[in-house]
Amino acid sequence: MESETPLLQREELVSALQRDGLCLRHARENFKADEELVMFAVSQNGNALKFASEELKKSKAIVTAAALQHGPSMQYASKDLIEDRDFVLELCAKGASCLSGLDEKMKKDKEVVLACMSANGFQLDNADPSLQKDKEVVLRAVKSHGKALRFASEELLKDKEVVMAAVSENGDALKFASSELKNDRDVVLCAVKQSGDSLKHSSEEMRKDREVVLEAVKKSGRALSLAPAFSDDKEIVTIAVQANAKALKFASKDMKKEKDVVYSALKSECSAGEGLKFADPELQADKQLVMEAVRADGDALQFANALLRGDKDVVTEAVSTRPEALEYATDSLKIDKDVVIMAVKKAGDVLKVLPSEAQDKEVVLEALKTSGDAIKYVTEDLIADREVIKQAIISGGEKLLGAMVDSVETQQIIAEVIEEVERPATNSSGETSCLNPNDETAERRCEDESGGEQGDSKRRKVE
């Protein structure tokens, strides 16, 4: 909750205004009349104009900054500026969405409203109802913001030219068109070419029109779910899954058995691995196809046949793409040293999916080299190991380690290791070096103790 205590110092106010321009409300009166401070406030939050002095509410520069930041803040400007037609037109030309902040006279002024529609058509909602029936105004609005069609009069929702302009800018504007135009092939084609998902706003008849559906799935594979009549159309299904692999869910059983269709899904740039999820079980057991799937998305391993989740080639490929995919492998491969080492070298957090028997010291150290945070998944028998503790600290897991350990003995080891890691060491040449080359704090300390730049030139990593 904001403090009600007046901000008495200029520096204090500037700091507050950087966070929120509305803090101007808590300023002393002389600060509310300070042009520099008020400009700072309204540029951060246009509504701060409400708290400016009456004199500054007359300032065109201040009001312009406020309106450009938040159009509706125009309501707080002086009456003279709100009624200044030339000034309002100038604001609109600069892109201010200020119609809601104007008086009723301005909202009935066609030239002003047209200028506002050019800046942001969605302001049609604030225009006088008489202008929401004006075709020129509505056309200007929907060309700027297609969904402004929702504020047009019923009569204009039946006007093909207006609706075509709206769906050309935003296909989903079809939602607001009349029933007749939702069944108009030209209008619907225009809409789905802009947004495939807009097919959901069309008539049932249009969802059975092959050309319409084809255009829709080109833009959005999910549109296949809206056209069950084409779930067995190979061309349409293939195009749909290429756009979005998840579209395979809405294909017919026969299409889910088509290997080339599933391959197309796996090559999709959207949710490629999901293609295997909806494929026929027989294809989920096809090693060549599954290899392709996990190569595209390691997590696709979870949708593979159980036998293939125990296939080392398949699991290795999945883990190389996404180490965490090891979670979906069979238990036998979760303890396979080659696979496990490969996974933890890529992502230390993989430790969390490993059974305790897979967590030997070598595996844990490799995981910690990747991420100090992996310490939270280390088994109790290794958490007190000096080498494990050292690697965790070097990799940034010191805080997590400290919070996990209750044993006084282990805490003592941690303290000793921290001191060891942070203490500059002397090598055989008498030069100083930091034990932890990855620790910036220790590196700076080493530099300080070695004599600044000279120390920096001598510092080297411990092999």
Side-chain angles (χ1 to χ4, degrees), residues 142-281:
V142 299
K143 286 178 180 179
S144 167
H145 196 308
K147 286 190 175 181
L149 183 64
R150 67 188 300 177
F151 306 120
S153 65
E154 288 294 323
E155 183 180 351
L156 290 179
L157 295 180
K158 300 175 183 178
D159 187 298
K160 187 170 180 176
E161 182 184 0
V162 169
V163 173
M164 285 285 279
V167 299
S168 294
E169 199 285 323
N170 189 321
D172 285 332
L174 183 62
K175 176 180 180 179
F176 309 109
S178 66
S179 298
E180 293 83 359
L181 291 180
K182 286 179 178 178
N183 194 44
D184 184 290
R185 197 163 185 272
D186 294 334
V187 171
V188 176
L189 269 173
C190 184
V192 298
K193 285 180 179 180
Q194 202 285 323
S195 170
D197 289 334
S198 66
L199 183 64
K200 64 188 174 188
H201 303 304
S202 70
S203 68
E204 287 296 325
E205 184 179 342
M206 286 296 100
R207 296 184 199 186
K208 294 176 182 177
D209 184 301
R210 191 174 189 280
E211 184 182 354
V212 168
V213 173
L214 190 59
E215 292 298 332
V217 298
K218 284 179 182 178
K219 290 295 289 186
S220 173
R222 295 174 302 180
L224 183 63
S225 66
L226 305 166
F230 298 98
S231 65
D232 203 38
D233 184 306
K234 189 170 183 177
E235 181 185 5
I236 286 179
V237 171
T238 299
I239 290 173
V241 300
Q242 285 173 339
N244 189 327
K246 290 182 180 180
L248 188 60
K249 176 181 180 180
F250 309 107
S252 69
K253 288 184 178 181
D254 287 341
M255 287 297 103
K256 291 176 180 178
K257 293 178 182 178
E258 291 280 348
K259 197 168 184 177
D260 53 344
V261 170
V262 177
Y263 264 117
S264 293
L266 299 179
K267 293 176 182 177
S268 170
E269 293 184 3
C270 184
S271 306
E274 293 279 331
L276 188 62
K277 178 179 181 179
F278 302 110
D280 184 81

Side-chain angles (χ1 to χ4, degrees), residues 376-393:
K376 59 188 172 185
Y377 306 116
V378 174
T379 55
E380 287 185 17
D381 59 317
L382 285 173
I383 202 76
D385 183 275
R386 194 178 190 89
E387 280 187 75
V388 169
I389 289 172
K390 184 174 181 178
Q391 187 58 60
I393 291 171

